[in-house]
Amino acid sequence: MATTQKEATRPGQFAQVAAVRRENVSASAAADWGVSPAAEDLQRKNLTSLIRPDPASKATAKGIQIMLRAETKHPLEPLSAAEISIAVATVRAAGATPELRDSMRFIEVVLLEPDKYVVALADAYFFPPFQPSLLPRTRGAPAVPTKLPPRRARLVVYNKRSNETSVWIVELTEVHATTRGGHHRGKVISSTVIPDVQPPMDAAEYAECEAIVKDYPPFIEAMKKRGIDDMELVMVDPWCVGYHGEADAPSRRLAKPLIFCRIESDCPLENGYARPVEGIHVLVDMQNMVVVEFEDRKLVPLPPADPLRNYTPGETRGGVDRSDVKPLQIVQPEGPSFRISGNYVEWQKWNFRIGFTPREGLVIHSVAYVDGSRGRRPIAHRLSFVEMVVPYGDPNEPHYRKNAFDAGEDGLGKNAHSLKKGCDCLGYVKYFDAHFTNFTGGVETTENCVCLHEEDNGILWKHQDWRTGLTEVRRSRRLTVSFICTVANYEYGFYWHFYQDGKIEAEVKLTGILSLGALQPGEVRKYGTTIAPGLYAPVHQHFFVARMDMAVDSKPGEMHNQVVEVNVRVEEPGNDNVHNNAFYAEETLLKSELEAMRDCDPSSARHWIIKNTRTVNRSGQLTGYKLVPGSNCLPLAGPEAKFLRRAAFLKHNLWVTPYARDEDFPGGEFPNQNPRAGEGLASWVKQNRSLEETNIVLWYVFGITHVPRLEDWPVMPVEHIGFVLQPHGFFNCSPAVDVPPNACEEDGKENDVKDKPASSGLIAKL
């Protein structure tokens, strides 16, 4: 973890406490905290043993229990590099033979997030926000424990020898013990082989695939036919094959590469995506790293060198960069308004925890708002982007197979990169590092992976009294948490913005380089845009899925949320609408999962409100948060489209489910080469579980249809897409009304820009 300018941690505020107040916790609370019926008895036993007071603990006459040892890691804190090493060593040591151990490849090692009651216990007594009221209490129940249960890691392991995928659960022991020879490797809790799946691909596999294709004699010969003798110019981008039929079954680990060719071998920033190589079919067995299919099907000439192909300084259009951009600096002389303790963040009455996984990237945990005398009010337990799908609309080879699941097949977090102050983030920045396992089990760290900073966001609110001339105006400030990943040619920035008016905005920024195709001389395709001679960009869509485990005004164990859909209706002409101007908002309760498969409808200003059925505001209305859609779309594909077998969740913009452990990813955990149609969200909702007064999980699917422009070349300016979670009756009045005014210049002229004569060149042109 790194910080710029000055360490942003709140001094001494969150020192680990040596004493906690004695509280009672019901031993039956495990069942109330979302435990499945099959595991209820076991959870109850575990909870009872967990909260049994330590015989060696001391208590005063006032009931103050002294903790013997302070906890050092919150249950939701991402795994450290040392913990990842322990988990990998534990699994590797469990291999029965040297051959088995050598064949292990580590796809991901992540924190096994504990049940919600463990998080509540930690937040109540061990870590900020130190809120004992988070836990239900009954008289005579066991006392608060002196320590939390051990942390656990979850590993996805691919066996390169047997082509099997397994999931391991490892209980972690004291991490500092690794410095004494690594004898404490942890304990294997379970190991399960998952049949008929392929886990995500790894960067090491991609690099090896590129090497073996470039060394394959028939491929070298095919490139010579296209005038390419230097294999250093060739770029091989492996893509997962998806699932189009039995030939793509997960019994083999397959990749179907796309081929590109640079023009200059001595230019490391040459835009190689400007010259796609078409007509060559290559299929690679990624388990054994051999080419299993090769065919030079059609000789398509390489597109000529486009003089506008590059985007690096000095090589852009005309070879001259702009020289009239003056420096713009963000200065906070007193430091930031946020406070940090580990991964815990406080800012403008908001508080939450930052997490990170190789698949999802940034995760926001335990989102709450401190609302005066009402205290800390929960809003969401967990927020993240869990999947994205990019289907292309060209039916020609190879583009019809381009329908990447960038989270499930590659990993958004694993493809995240280090952010640089002054470029990706401005101002007073707090960075968080991310730790991953590589393919062979080593630990890699992406420094400055997550960026936290404040941004000015224009006007928050303003009013001028025309009678008195008095004006009140407030600037809007937001706290932004973000990361950026690169998946082949595209970049995606993922942002969570927190506002002073209680609003949460989710935003995705799309940029990078278009994935192109080559054209025969004189050819024009209606499925894309010609952007240069012999070069075109196919139409495509980008879909993102946000998973929101909501907890509006709900403490752990409380199941008081439900969802209503709101549509604005025009009143029928008649006695209630004699002027034909009346319209009203109509609410409909979404009672079950099948009722809650919904689509956006801008014509009725459709939105959805998550309401707490037991908490009211001063008007007697149920408190809630509403999901306000931004621009959106649905798949532009026929119902039998092959990619929809694995992406059935794209068929609706909104899905709602009751919380269930292990229902984490809308296309199932392993979408790579998945032959099972509709696995994941589309199958779960067939249970048609009740959504009335329960733990609500929202799955919001939002997308953008990209018809490329010439202005998207050679690099695509950022496109924005997202949605908003907005308070709806959650507060008794605007929470932004108490934001203090800015110290504006009194006469408004301190930074007034003086008129300057136009340049002589411009005058001459005029």
Side-chain angles (χ1 to χ4, degrees), residues 205-215 234-238:
E205 292 179 286
Y206 287 157
E208 191 174 354
C209 176
E210 179 175 55
I212 69 115
V213 170
K214 289 166 68 171
D215 285 341
V234 178
M235 297 164 42
V236 179
D237 277 13

Side-chain angles (χ1 to χ4, degrees), residues 364-527:
I364 307 295
H365 296 284
S366 304
V367 180
Y369 191 95
V370 179
D371 186 19
S373 61
R374 300 187 72 169
R376 181 179 182 271
R377 301 177 66 187
I379 295 169
H381 180 72
R382 192 181 194 277
L383 306 172
S384 69
F385 297 98
V386 289
E387 190 55 272
M388 62 171 291
V389 184
V390 187
Y392 279 70
D394 186 342
N396 294 287
E397 192 58 80
H399 307 288
Y400 77 93
R401 277 187 172 268
K402 289 159 65 173
N403 42 72
F405 286 60
D406 286 334
E409 292 178 340
D410 287 287
L412 301 178
K414 269 196 145 179
N415 285 285
H417 41 76
S418 180
L419 305 175
K420 295 182 178 179
K421 178 177 173 288
C423 297
D424 299 302
C425 306
L426 289 176
Y428 200 115
V429 179
K430 173 69 176 180
Y431 290 113
F432 298 84
D433 298 342
H435 307 290
F436 308 99
T437 177
N438 59 28
F439 203 40
T440 56
V443 180
E444 296 182 356
T445 298
T446 302
E447 296 181 345
N448 299 356
C449 189
V450 172
C451 171
L452 173 79
H453 70 293
E454 294 175 285
E455 297 178 341
D456 179 272
N457 194 54
I459 293 176
L460 177 61
W461 59 265
K462 180 175 183 175
H463 179 66
Q464 182 177 36
D465 189 322
W466 65 270
R467 291 182 176 84
T468 64
L470 295 177
T471 300
E472 289 289 338
V473 61
R474 302 293 186 269
R475 299 292 299 179
S476 174
R477 189 180 298 191
R478 67 185 185 185
L479 184 70
T480 294
V481 196
S482 63
F483 81 103
I484 300 174
C485 67
T486 300
V487 186
N489 53 292
Y490 258 107
E491 266 74 22
Y492 301 96
F494 296 90
Y495 299 78
W496 291 97
H497 305 290
F498 295 84
Y499 290 83
Q500 292 163 305
D501 62 354
K503 180 174 63 183
I504 304 171
E505 180 185 11
E507 181 185 26
V508 180
K509 297 181 181 181
L510 301 82
T511 181
I513 301 175
L514 296 168
S515 181
L516 305 178
L519 297 173
Q520 295 276 16
E523 181 185 5
V524 176
R525 287 191 189 174
K526 67 178 181 179
Y527 306 108

